Amino acid sequence: MSILRVETYPSEILRKVAKPVDEVTPDLVRLIQDMIETMYKEEGVGLAAPQIGVSKRIIIASPQAKPGTEKVYLNPEITKKEGKTLGLEGCLSLPGIAAEVNRATKITFTALDLQGNKITVKAEDFFARIIQHEIDHLDGKLFIDHVAFSERKELLDSLKKNLMIG
Ligand code: NI
């Protein structure tokens, strides 16, 4: 397994709509194992394939931030949203900045698991927030797109400084 490089803003791949996965191959499984290792190494609670430079609809999530508890979803699609909650979000592709973002409190989504089975999952609160954030990545969206223009400008200014230092 290996640690992958995480793409940071304004990398173009972060703005692309990712392609569906049509087959779970051994190479894909290896890539996902590397994504999992990378997520824990970078202390993230979620990661989407475009963030490691692969424009495919793959997300991983670990709301407990504990190795072994991660979930892997291929081609995830939200089918139901309920409620709205404001909560702080950050992103490994936007190091050092965070903002309050509105997300649905409860969601239902479908996906393929690593065995290629279609599954339906209900998520709420922090887990639901992670899934919505990661699915955004598959559609070329970032959490800063959900904040008001003036706040976004400030966030991007501090991000620029963080990227120069880091
Ligand atoms: Ni992110």
Side-chain angles (χ1 to χ4, degrees):
M1 288 204 277
S2 44
I3 303 292
L4 306 165
R5 200 178 75 90
V6 176
E7 298 282 332
T8 53
Y9 182 92
S11 170
E12 264 177 43
I13 198 161
L14 296 173
R15 290 308 194 179
K16 277 211 229 136
V17 175
K19 296 228 160 59
V21 172
D22 45 26
E23 205 190 345
V24 182
T25 61
D27 278 352
L28 194 81
V29 173
R30 258 192 298 275
L31 176 83
I32 291 168
Q33 282 164 350
D34 289 344
M35 280 177 68
I36 293 169
E37 204 184 352
T38 304
M39 175 181 71
Y40 288 123
K41 165 90 190 334
E42 302 292 336
E43 297 181 351
V45 290
L47 193 66
Q51 292 183 274
I52 46 97
V54 175
S55 198
K56 286 189 180 159
R57 302 189 81 80
I58 306 166
I59 62 169
I60 59 175
S62 179
Q64 295 158 272
K66 203 172 128 202
T69 63
E70 65 280 346
K71 309 276 188 200
V72 177
Y73 302 114
L74 314 174
N75 305 340
E77 224 171 290
I78 295 173
T79 53
K80 196 175 168 192
K81 288 186 179 187
E82 277 175 83
K84 219 173 223 195
T85 314
L86 204 58
L88 200 62
E89 285 185 27
C91 180
L92 294 179
S93 296
L94 299 150
I97 62 167
E100 295 274 342
V101 177
N102 248 320
R103 300 282 188 187
T105 316
K106 290 184 184 185
I107 58 168
T108 303
F109 64 99
T110 59
L112 295 180
D113 64 15
L114 268 183
Q115 284 73 46
N117 302 312
K118 188 167 178 180
I119 52 171
T120 300
V121 184
K122 283 180 196 293
E124 54 182 73
D125 302 322
F126 190 49
F127 182 34
R129 176 170 299 278
I130 297 171
I131 298 297
Q132 290 170 87
H133 176 115
E134 301 311 329
I135 291 178
D136 264 4
H137 276 302
L138 305 182
D139 294 323
K141 284 187 218 149
L142 300 169
F143 79 84
I144 49 169
D145 302 339
H146 294 278
V147 305
F149 178 79
S150 57
E151 190 191 352
R152 182 156 67 237
K153 201 180 163 300
E154 274 176 41
L155 287 168
L156 289 176
D157 285 345
S158 30
L159 176 68
K160 241 181 260 167
K161 283 181 207 139
N162 296 343
L163 288 173
M164 274 193 288
I165 299 163

